[in-house]
Amino acid sequence: MKNENVIEVENLTKAFGAFKAVNAISFEVKKGEIFGFLGANGAGKTTAIKMLIGISHPTSGKAKVVDFDVYTQPEAIKRNIGYMSQRFALYDDLTVQENINFFGGIYGLSRKAIRQKSKDSLVELGMHEISSKLVGSLPLGWKQKLSFSVALLHEPKIVFLDEPTGGVDPITRRQFWEMIYKAADQGTTIFVTTHYMDEAEYCDRVSIMVEGKIEALDTPKNLKQQFKVASMNEVFLKLARNIE
Amino acid sequence: MKRFIGFIRKEFYHIFRDRRSLFILFGMPIAQILLFGFAITNEINNVNIAILDHSKDTSTLEIINKISNSKYFSIKQIISREAEIESVFQKGKIKAVLNFEKDFGRNLIKKKSAQIQIITDATDPNTANSITNYINAILQNYLQEKNKSIQLDYQIIPQTRMVYNQELKSVFLFVPGVMTIILMLVSAMMTSISITREKELGTMEILLVSPLKPFQVIIGKVVPYIFLSIINAAVIVLLSIFIFKMPVEGSLILLGAESVLFIITSLALGILISTISDTQQSAMMISLMGLMLPVILLSGFIFPISSMPAPLQVISNIIPAKWFIIIIKGIMLKGVGLAFVWKETLILIGMTVFFIAVSVKKYKIRLD
Ligand SMILES: Nc1ncnc2c1ncn2[C@@H]1O[C@H](COP(=O)(O)OP(=O)(O)OP(=O)(O)O)[C@@H](O)[C@H]1O
Ligand SMILES: [Mg+2]
């Protein structure tokens, strides 16, 4: 990988019957990049992510993630990525600490490593004092941040975040993005989907997906120039109108 | 291995922090045991019996004809020696043996009194009781006709004897049934619910994205329930022995091994159910309707299979619980060994393999 692409996708397609939820998308993501994967409801973002993380078989096309093929090496991909699903997915009936221990454990981290890591991230999250509280009792914003830390526990090369800030207040969203920047600074590639167009401005590059196809892909700055508008929100609206 | 222990620990947290699980695990067995108190009477129909006729005269012939003409009994075997009675019962098909004393007919006329022995298999005490009553009724009926025709006062003295479970404690009958239901509940229903729960919450997806393989996830989910089911089975057997004073005639080791086999059958069913349902609600409904109801109605636990309509008798064969109940009734109440239940055991093993194969196949499809 001379060009340091950690994701390479070519004509990737997923069809459910006759309906193409993802229709021949192609793009690359560079190492350490924050890649925004935008699109309206039902555009096919989650479907595309599921193919990239090895839990859904593509109908056709090619995809390589961390140098591994999605068709033949899903197990290798799984070891090298982190994933935060669109639905909040920690265990509500386990405490903060128990969740961390469990997920660290299934990624094969040693007990010592888990202890060290969980201490660090709990301090960072400001949650060290409530580590013995049930996750179900926490506000959504805290859960989301915890979920992100858990996805980073095993130091994945790429982390896939599917609408990590959905339904979260603006202040927590801001904090969340600080966490994303920090992870990116440490060399983790971030693949993030969002509905919020202001968040698109924080990404290094964004792709905009409409009805299964990628209709635009560039840096936020270039996209705004190309569409001659001042904000990503307008880019998005223009694009949607053009399609109609 | 360490991953595995972590997984199982997490599973136990789920179980012990969920009131519903706790209720099903510990409340249900108690509720079931309360069921013991209810007496359930059954109609009988076409019960297989054997005849041991030491007299072979016109009266015994008339009585035998009368019995075989009734719709309640069908005479399946004629034996000639007392020694054969035991083996007839052990095969399990024959539910009663009628033993006419020597010179039955002559005694009836000369001494005005003759003896007949009704020996029933009391493993199923309800049926045994009914059989005795019905045969008595037929004998009385026979005497009435006779007395009317020759104006004399004869009597037949029936002597009843129950083999196996002689005190007719119906608790003994219920123990195998209750044990079967509880093992089924804990193993099949609880595992299917706990697997679909992860699907419903979205955590299954996270587990499948982890380096754990799908079968490791499933085994991790299933192992705690194996433990709990074994504990439950042991508690039931111990309760029966020490509180209800039930004698366990056969080998405890064989009983344990067969129970583990049935637990695995049920777990396989639970996994199968979890592959076809996406919500806990539907897993529970399928378990209750698809498993519990047939177990209660068709396994012979409450209603004797022999008195069911023929189509239901055929259907009862595909219910794993039926075979398990036959096996443990044999071991607990008759003291039989593997030599007598190997056929049922093989059927259970076959069903288990089948369920596992189907779930593996379904699982692959679902992960598309
Ligand atoms: N298993 C499936 N079978 C059939 N159709 C599906 C399936 N999964 C997704 N779809 C359809 O594919 C389309 C894309 O869905 P997807 O979840 O990928 O969208 P999304 O961009 O993630 O939307 P959202 O912003 O709401 O999360 C939708 O129309 C959805 O209904
Ligand atoms: Mg989505």
Side-chain angles (χ1 to χ4, degrees):
Chain A
M1 271 199 183
K2 243 185 276 155
N3 52 3
E4 296 250 357
N5 282 340
V6 288
I7 302 178
E8 291 182 348
V9 175
E10 210 182 309
N11 289 324
L12 194 65
T13 300
K14 178 82 185 187
F16 297 111
F19 171 67
K20 287 182 174 167
V22 173
N23 193 351
I25 58 171
S26 305
F27 60 89
E28 285 101 42
V29 178
K30 294 192 196 67
K31 184 172 187 302
E33 195 170 29
I34 299 177
F35 188 83
F37 201 60
L38 314 192
N41 279 329
K45 306 179 295 289
T46 302
T47 308
I49 288 186
K50 283 188 179 169
M51 289 190 278
L52 296 180
I53 61 179
I55 56 173
S56 168
H57 283 292
T59 308
S60 63
K62 287 190 218 159
K64 268 186 152 190
V65 176
V66 207
D67 230 3
F68 302 111
D69 187 89
V70 291
Y71 290 94
T72 55
Q73 299 163 293
E75 299 309 318
I77 292 177
K78 288 176 187 176
R79 272 192 300 275
N80 285 286
I81 58 153
Y83 170 53
M84 188 176 154
S85 112
Q86 182 168 0
R87 300 156 67 191
F88 169 74
L90 295 179
Y91 294 101
D92 274 344
D93 57 343
L94 263 55
T95 66
V96 172
Q97 188 67 53
E98 285 162 355
N99 266 291
I100 295 177
N101 292 350
F102 172 71
F103 285 104
I106 62 173
Y107 277 92
L109 267 59
S110 72
R111 207 170 296 163
K112 202 172 140 219
I114 294 175
R115 205 177 311 132
Q116 191 54 48
K117 289 226 138 230
S118 72
K119 205 174 133 219
D120 292 351
S121 47
L122 285 178
V123 169
E124 196 185 312
L125 292 170
M127 287 169 68
H128 52 289
E129 273 169 10
I130 53 161
S131 66
S132 58
K133 274 214 160 147
L134 292 184
V135 164
S137 67
L138 303 182
L140 182 65
W142 292 30
K143 287 182 181 179
Q144 298 294 76
K145 287 192 282 184
L146 178 63
S147 196
F148 183 45
S149 309
V150 166
L152 290 174
L153 269 182
H154 58 290
E155 300 179 2
K157 297 201 172 70
I158 310 174
V159 58
F160 290 85
L161 308 173
D162 197 357
E163 287 184 37
T165 53
V168 167
D169 65 89
I171 297 170
T172 313
R173 269 170 58 200
R174 184 70 233 174
Q175 292 168 342
F176 199 96
W177 274 91
E178 275 161 19
M179 289 175 71
I180 291 182
Y181 276 124
K182 191 163 170 226
D185 277 346
Q186 288 164 356
T188 312
T189 306
I190 312 281
F191 188 102
V192 57
T193 79
T194 179
H195 272 153
Y196 301 108
M197 286 307 140
D198 59 323
E199 289 186 351
E201 314 267 1
Y202 309 148
C203 300
D204 294 326
R205 283 192 310 147
V206 298
S207 76
I208 300 178
M209 212 172 164
V210 183
E211 289 170 10
K213 290 191 170 157
I214 290 185
E215 296 295 345
L217 196 173
D218 213 327
T219 61
K221 197 172 147 219
N222 288 351
L223 284 176
K224 280 183 277 190
Q225 265 173 16
Q226 185 188 331
F227 287 86
K228 301 187 178 63
V229 290
S231 74
M232 280 305 291
N233 201 18
E234 289 164 278
V235 172
F236 194 76
L237 289 175
K238 256 193 157 162
L239 206 59
R241 243 174 259 133
N242 287 350
I243 301 291
E244 279 168 21
Chain B
M1 196 58 209
K2 222 169 54 206
R3 285 182 205 192
F4 208 63
I5 291 171
F7 203 111
I8 290 172
R9 180 179 314 132
K10 161 204 155 245
E11 227 36 64
F12 276 112
Y13 287 145
H14 289 324
I15 295 168
F16 288 115
R17 287 174 190 177
D18 179 36
R19 252 190 239 134
R20 193 182 53 185
S21 304
L22 284 179
F23 173 73
I24 294 180
L25 284 174
F26 302 105
M28 282 301 232
I30 293 170
Q32 297 273 8
I33 285 167
L34 290 180
L35 254 178
F36 284 159
F38 295 103
I40 295 155
T41 50
N42 319 109
E43 278 261 335
I44 59 167
N45 194 359
N46 253 327
V47 172
N48 294 331
I49 60 172
I51 302 288
L52 173 54
D53 190 352
H54 291 296
S55 185
K56 297 206 176 65
D57 53 42
T58 37
S59 342
T60 62
L61 217 75
E62 283 169 351
I63 293 175
I64 292 171
N65 273 338
K66 216 167 162 53
I67 289 174
S68 84
N69 284 339
S70 83
K71 67 179 167 104
Y72 309 114
F73 301 103
S74 75
I75 294 167
K76 275 283 142 72
Q77 211 174 338
I78 306 289
I79 55 177
S80 48
R81 288 176 303 121
E82 316 272 350
E84 291 173 65
I85 295 176
E86 181 75 13
S87 71
V88 159
F89 278 126
Q90 286 218 334
K91 287 199 191 102
K93 285 250 180 332
I94 303 286
K95 296 297 173 203
V97 176
L98 294 191
N99 185 356
F100 292 92
E101 68 167 341
K102 206 162 164 332
D103 299 326
F104 183 94
R106 185 138 33 104
N107 290 344
L108 195 59
I109 294 170
K110 286 210 164 141
K111 300 185 189 165
K112 296 192 176 176
S113 149
Q115 291 205 0
I116 179 173
Q117 196 183 27
I118 307 165
I119 310 162
T120 48
D121 177 350
T123 330
D124 179 344
N126 298 316
T127 310
N129 249 334
S130 311
I131 292 173
T132 314
N133 294 338
Y134 281 51
I135 290 180
N136 272 329
I138 294 175
L139 292 174
Q140 290 312 317
N141 191 273
Y142 170 74
L143 280 180
Q144 265 171 18
E145 289 170 10
K146 254 251 123 69
N147 290 343
K148 219 179 278 166
S149 64
I150 25 184
Q151 303 289 323
L152 272 171
D153 205 2
Y154 297 139
Q155 62 170 334
I156 294 177
I157 303 172
Q159 212 187 18
T160 54
R161 181 162 79 92
M162 311 260 175
V163 292
Y164 316 120
N165 184 12
Q166 283 161 14
E167 291 163 81
L168 265 193
K169 285 204 177 173
S170 62
V171 170
F172 299 170
L173 165 73
F174 274 90
V175 167
V178 167
M179 189 157 136
T180 307
I181 290 207
I182 289 174
L183 293 185
M184 198 101 190
L185 255 181
V186 172
S187 310
M189 184 161 120
M190 297 296 282
T191 39
S192 66
I193 289 179
S194 104
I195 293 173
T196 45
R197 192 171 97 125
E198 302 247 8
K199 280 201 214 171
E200 208 176 304
L201 296 178
T203 45
M204 185 55 92
E205 209 173 272
I206 306 292
L207 296 178
L208 293 177
V209 180
S210 83
L212 290 177
K213 302 211 165 54
F215 83 88
Q216 291 175 311
V217 172
I218 297 302
I219 292 183
K221 301 234 32 125
V222 154
V223 164
Y225 292 100
I226 296 185
F227 277 124
L228 293 171
S229 302
I230 291 176
I231 291 174
N232 256 326
V235 167
I236 294 169
V237 171
L238 290 179
L239 272 182
S240 326
I241 294 177
F242 290 109
I243 296 189
F244 299 119
K245 307 277 180 254
M246 182 178 87
V248 172
E249 307 279 353
S251 143
L252 277 176
I253 294 173
L254 182 61
L255 183 63
E258 296 279 3
S259 302
V260 171
L261 171 62
F262 183 66
I263 288 169
I264 294 173
T265 314
S266 308
L267 289 172
L269 266 174
I271 296 171
L272 188 59
I273 291 173
S274 73
T275 63
I276 55 176
S277 45
D278 286 317
T279 62
Q280 300 179 68
Q281 199 90 36
S282 77
M284 194 157 98
M285 287 321 283
I286 296 176
S287 302
L288 287 175
M289 296 313 211
L291 297 182
M292 302 314 296
L293 223 56
V295 169
I296 292 172
L297 298 179
L298 297 179
S299 67
F301 164 36
I302 291 176
F303 307 107
I305 291 176
S306 54
S307 49
M308 289 175 193
L312 287 185
Q313 290 196 24
V314 173
I315 293 174
S316 76
N317 288 325
I318 61 167
I319 295 174
K322 169 188 166 172
W323 304 105
F324 181 62
I325 289 182
I326 294 178
I327 294 171
I328 57 174
K329 265 192 190 172
I331 299 173
M332 285 177 162
L333 304 177
K334 298 188 198 172
V336 300
L338 193 55
F340 282 91
V341 292
W342 65 269
K343 234 179 8 195
E344 288 80 8
T345 308
L346 273 186
I347 292 174
L348 270 189
I349 292 176
M351 288 178 162
T352 311
V353 171
F354 174 76
F355 294 143
I356 291 177
V358 175
S359 359
V360 166
K361 208 154 174 202
K362 285 247 173 209
Y363 223 85
K364 285 208 178 116
I365 296 169
R366 292 224 49 120
L367 288 176
D368 71 327

